[in-house]
Amino acid sequence: MNKRLLQQVVRLVLVFAGINVIWYLAFLLMNHPILPSPLTVYRAMFELGAGNIALNVGYSLMRIFAGVAVALVLGLLVGLLMGRSPLWNRLLDPVVYLTYPVPKIALLPVVMLFFGLGETSKILMIMLILLFQVIISVRDGVKAIPASTYDVLTSIGANAAQKFWNVTLPGALSVILSTIRISLGTAISVLFFTEIYGTEHGMGFFIMDAWLRLDYPEMYAGIMLFSLVGFVLFLLVDLLDYKFMKWRNQ
Amino acid sequence: MSSSKTNVNSSGLCVKDLQVEYNNGQPALGKVNFILPEHGIYTVIGPSGSGKSTLLRAVAGLLPDYAGQLLFNGKAVQDKETLIGLVPQNYGLLPWKTVRANIRTALRIARPAISDKQEVESRIQRWLTSMGISELAGRYPLSLSGGQQQRVAIARAFAIMPTILLLDEPFSALDAITREALQVLFLEHWLAHPVTALFVTHDVEEAILLGQQIIILPASKEETPDIVDNRAVFGMKHEDKRSSEDFFEQTKRIRKVMREKW
């Protein structure tokens, strides 16, 4: 396990180094201020100061976490309802079917009209992106648990909550995790758009602000940091997957 | 066996006029009557589709709808006080929990009165040891063989000390050697802790080896099940059973019923 982990890390470092080399070559070829050298960008990143970085990264992370959390709670509730009760599934299925293909990013102006430019609409947008995916995957995940999985617990008199914690949730968790992994990319993109407006913190604001000031090294530094945020989130999902999905890969 | 002979007030598990239908109205289980005395063990044998599992599921409280009465010591089996231990054919272990956690979950739900953590853990350890699987405590079910998983399922069923133990073809997915080893193991534990048990099987030998009485379900839902007294074989030492005259006679007897009714 440790050896595999090490190999994985080495591979990631090599890819990262490779990207930097290509970047540097491109910088040499272009020789234009719109593409600064990686060294300049990293220097700019260091000059930003830890407090400044932490503030912007922290705001972005906070919005993503809040959006994901709300989407998970709501999605779990609705998905469970649809997975366990055929009646609710019949009622809600057309609703989900109809709203699922609506590009949620197009709702950004609507959400901002209704909820203003503040935190609520930012978190709401991320929530909207994730919610329908979570609903559908929870529903299908719950349906995929064989009915016999509940038998032993039912026969010893388990109540609904005990069945939920011991069977339904862990049974659907693998689908939930892969859904989060897939929709996280979209959620981060949407975060960028929402952070263009009505805030002075967050990675989206930071990048756009540097762009408008024509401070390209800082803009690239912002893009690198934003990518780092995405990478950390992916690692986190992987970590959760490793912790809760041990039973599959033993 | 006529229904009038079934006295609802007797002790043990009383199955009276039990009948189950599928959702489409087809009979899933014909009329069944028997009394399984407390601390007794009966085996149920029958062809596929005769309702063996349905009978067990009805007693386990897994069927919402059935006709007739299911009583234990005069009270409905669905009563809170009647604790059911179930050992299904697919072992029924939760794949996302370790062996130890599987038993712990069952204990917590079935016996909430045992609040002392150490008591719970020591009881789990005791049963794992007696089933010979203490070294598997931290493993996940998917990494275990069928025989090992079934040991866990049996350990779990005994650990909760159920009022009624129900086994649904527990050994049918196992190879012959593992099956025989587990039959011995199961019987040893049952003799040490004689819980009221109903054991469904499709294996004639297994039915004779493990049951004080053998309930033979017919293929037709109209006919009544035969109940064969098997105390003579059951009382022998396990290793002597197979070679005994009684065992041979019993096999012939059951096969005769099978020829006529299956």
Side-chain angles (χ1 to χ4, degrees), chain A residues 79-90:
Chain A
L80 269 177
L81 205 60
M82 292 175 75
R84 296 302 299 274
S85 145
L87 175 73
W88 278 102
N89 192 26
R90 263 205 306 280

Side-chain angles (χ1 to χ4, degrees), chain A residues 145-159 162-163 165-172 242-250, chain B residues 57 60-62 80 82-88 90-97 105-110 138-143 156 160:
Chain A
I145 300 171
S148 64
T149 317
Y150 295 91
D151 282 355
V152 172
L153 294 196
T154 310
S155 66
I156 57 176
N159 58 35
Q162 287 165 329
K163 284 187 219 169
W165 286 112
N166 292 303
V167 184
T168 315
L169 187 61
Y242 174 74
K243 171 126 178 41
F244 291 108
M245 293 297 125
K246 257 190 226 159
W247 58 273
R248 266 192 327 201
N249 349 311
Q250 212 187 29
Chain B
R57 293 179 68 81
L62 296 173
K80 273 262 172 218
T82 318
L83 183 58
I84 307 275
L86 179 66
V87 182
N90 63 6
Y91 325 121
L93 301 173
L94 300 174
W96 37 82
K97 286 181 188 282
T105 304
L107 261 174
R108 285 231 183 99
I109 293 171
R139 297 263 295 269
Y140 288 92
L142 291 185
S143 72
R156 175 177 62 183
I160 63 171

Side-chain angles (χ1 to χ4, degrees), chain A residues 2-16:
Chain A
N2 259 330
K3 209 179 153 203
R4 264 179 46 208
L5 194 71
L6 197 71
Q7 278 179 345
Q8 181 83 1
V9 171
V10 168
R11 227 176 297 154
L12 285 176
V13 169
L14 282 178
V15 170
F16 183 69

Side-chain angles (χ1 to χ4, degrees), chain A residues 45-249:
Chain A
M45 205 187 289
F46 273 106
E47 278 163 10
L48 286 176
N52 194 2
I53 293 178
L55 185 71
N56 287 299
V57 169
Y59 260 95
S60 290
L61 278 178
M62 185 272 291
R63 288 165 186 151
I64 290 194
F65 276 128
V68 170
V70 178
L72 273 182
V73 171
L74 283 179
L76 260 173
L77 282 175
V78 179
L80 269 177
L81 205 60
M82 292 175 75
R84 296 302 299 274
S85 145
L87 175 73
W88 278 102
N89 192 26
R90 263 205 306 280
L91 279 173
L92 292 176
D93 193 51
V95 179
V96 174
Y97 190 80
L98 214 67
T99 46
Y100 185 75
V102 174
K104 309 298 174 306
I105 188 68
L107 294 176
L108 179 65
V110 179
V111 169
M112 287 194 164
L113 278 176
F114 275 80
F115 297 94
L117 296 171
E119 293 304 314
T120 319
S121 52
K122 292 179 174 53
I123 293 167
L124 209 63
M125 275 313 295
I126 294 169
M127 195 271 290
L128 274 177
I129 295 286
L130 289 165
L131 180 64
F132 293 90
Q133 318 253 11
V134 174
I135 289 177
I136 289 176
S137 67
V138 168
R139 181 195 63 185
D140 294 346
V142 167
K143 271 190 184 167
I145 300 171
S148 64
T149 317
Y150 295 91
D151 282 355
V152 172
L153 294 196
T154 310
S155 66
I156 57 176
N159 58 35
Q162 287 165 329
K163 284 187 219 169
F164 172 76
W165 286 112
N166 292 303
V167 184
T168 315
L169 187 61
L173 198 58
S174 111
V175 209
I176 296 173
L177 281 176
S178 41
T179 307
I180 293 181
R181 195 198 308 270
I182 293 165
S183 18
L184 208 53
T186 328
I188 295 171
S189 313
V190 169
L191 176 74
F192 180 85
F193 280 108
T194 62
E195 285 184 344
I196 295 172
Y197 308 99
T199 180
E200 283 175 3
H201 307 289
M203 295 316 298
F205 163 77
F206 184 90
I207 293 167
M208 295 306 282
D209 181 55
W211 179 49
L212 292 175
R213 287 187 284 109
L214 307 182
D215 188 345
Y216 295 128
E218 207 177 294
M219 181 185 85
Y220 280 97
I223 294 172
M224 295 294 286
L225 285 172
F226 204 19
S227 310
L228 186 73
V229 170
F231 185 68
V232 168
L233 287 173
F234 263 72
L235 274 187
L236 212 64
V237 177
D238 268 349
L239 206 71
L240 289 176
D241 195 277
Y242 174 74
K243 171 126 178 41
F244 291 108
M245 293 297 125
K246 257 190 226 159
W247 58 273
R248 266 192 327 201
N249 349 311

